[in-house]
Amino acid sequence: MSIVIVGASLAGLRAAEAVRQAGFSGSLTVIGDEPYRPYDRVPLSKHVLSGRLPAEHCTLASLHPIDARWLLGRAVVGLDRRASQVVLGDGDRIGYRRMLIATGARARPWPGPVPPQVVTLRSLDDASALRALLPSCRRLVVVGGGVMGCEIASRAVEMGVRTTLVERSATPMGALGRPIGHLLAQRMSTQVDMRLSNRVVEWMVKDGHLAGARLENEVVEADVAVLALGVLRNVEWLHGSGLPDAVCDEYCRVLGPDGDPQDDILAAGDVTGAAEHWGHAVAQAAVAGANLVHPRSQVYHPFSTWWTSQFGLSLKVVGSPQQATEVVLAQGSLEEYRFIALYGRAGKTVAVLSCNHARWLPFYEALLGTPFPPPGGGPERPEVMTAL
């Protein structure tokens, strides 16, 4: 039997390891459109931009022997399900008995032409290019106030670059809700020019170079801009195959046009749309890899965990704050930016956020699924937890 993994990503690597751990000794092929072995994208906006970590040091180590055939720098452009083959951009076809889709996602581009100084940050090449631009940058504009945009702005400030952050919503870090978003905005505004509830409507160009960004009611100077507008999942190569997407069931089997699971085609990681976080990709890939060898032997239970480091704050999240309707201060001090916040919905605790207070995170993580809000009292805890 032959197994093909499309996507030399974090999920692709961990799935390949799981395939071998499950006892598979047959042909294993990993295909990637980038010329690099699987690498960790997390440090790109955290450490590579600041120069603390060379881009080439982001390569992921194999935790278990894989013994795979690696086809790198080879884009997959189509899927022939009738022949059980993936089609490469150069016309080659690779046959499979079972296949895993781990093609991930790419940065959402600007909807139109842009000057070369307007860039995105998703790949190793992106990080290297932006790192080369920043030392001579006088004024940077970051478009998008999510995790990626805020991390980029933070790194730029550390490098002494005057930075403007443009966000269409009323607060940055929208996934954390408005109360926490307003608190973070206060912190960021001491170091970054914030343009909230605003958007870029036009790029200003002079002599072929970026000169600024026209917002809804002003023009901001800029010689470099970074787009942090979210991602698009890499599923276009599936068009024409009869598979509408890479959405999968609890066994990681890709769903067909009628919602019927495909026993020979599985998926893992960002491409599934379940969650765009490192921990999700690792956990889902482990289940998918095992199920490639022993079908329906394991079930994947999505669970979100992520962290970010920005503006002197270490933020760690467990659960799904974007699903919450309330948030309370559970411990610590908002004024000191050292606290635990709990998120609730319909009387249940659905997420926990630690801000520079991670040693208490395991205690509150155990409260997920329990009644919300929990009882107050105790060290640095309010007697009654009231909604922020």
Side-chain angles (χ1 to χ4, degrees), residues 144-146 150 165-186 188 194-198:
C150 291
L165 180 69
V166 182
E167 166 56 39
R168 297 188 68 164
S169 300
T171 69
M173 300 291 288
L176 299 180
R178 286 202 173 188
I180 300 300
H182 280 300
L183 183 71
L184 298 178
Q186 293 173 14
M188 296 178 193
M194 306 288 289
R195 298 295 187 272
L196 301 173
S197 300
N198 215 321

Side-chain angles (χ1 to χ4, degrees), residues 75-131:
V76 173
V77 298
L79 171 62
D80 186 343
R81 292 168 61 206
R82 188 182 300 273
S84 295
Q85 295 175 334
V86 294
V87 183
L88 304 186
D90 57 10
D92 283 354
R93 289 173 170 252
I94 308 297
Y96 65 87
R97 174 61 182 84
R98 292 182 185 142
M99 180 183 70
L100 177 76
I101 299 172
T103 44
R106 65 188 183 279
R108 185 183 295 274
W110 187 258
V114 296
Q117 296 80 24
V118 177
V119 300
T120 58
L121 177 57
R122 180 72 182 180
S123 68
L124 272 179
D125 290 341
D126 291 341
S128 298
L130 181 55
R131 171 65 185 163

Side-chain angles (χ1 to χ4, degrees), residues 329-332 375-378 380-386:
L329 173 66
Q331 187 172 3
E380 294 188 299
R381 302 178 67 185
E383 291 299 326
V384 178
M385 296 187 186
T386 57

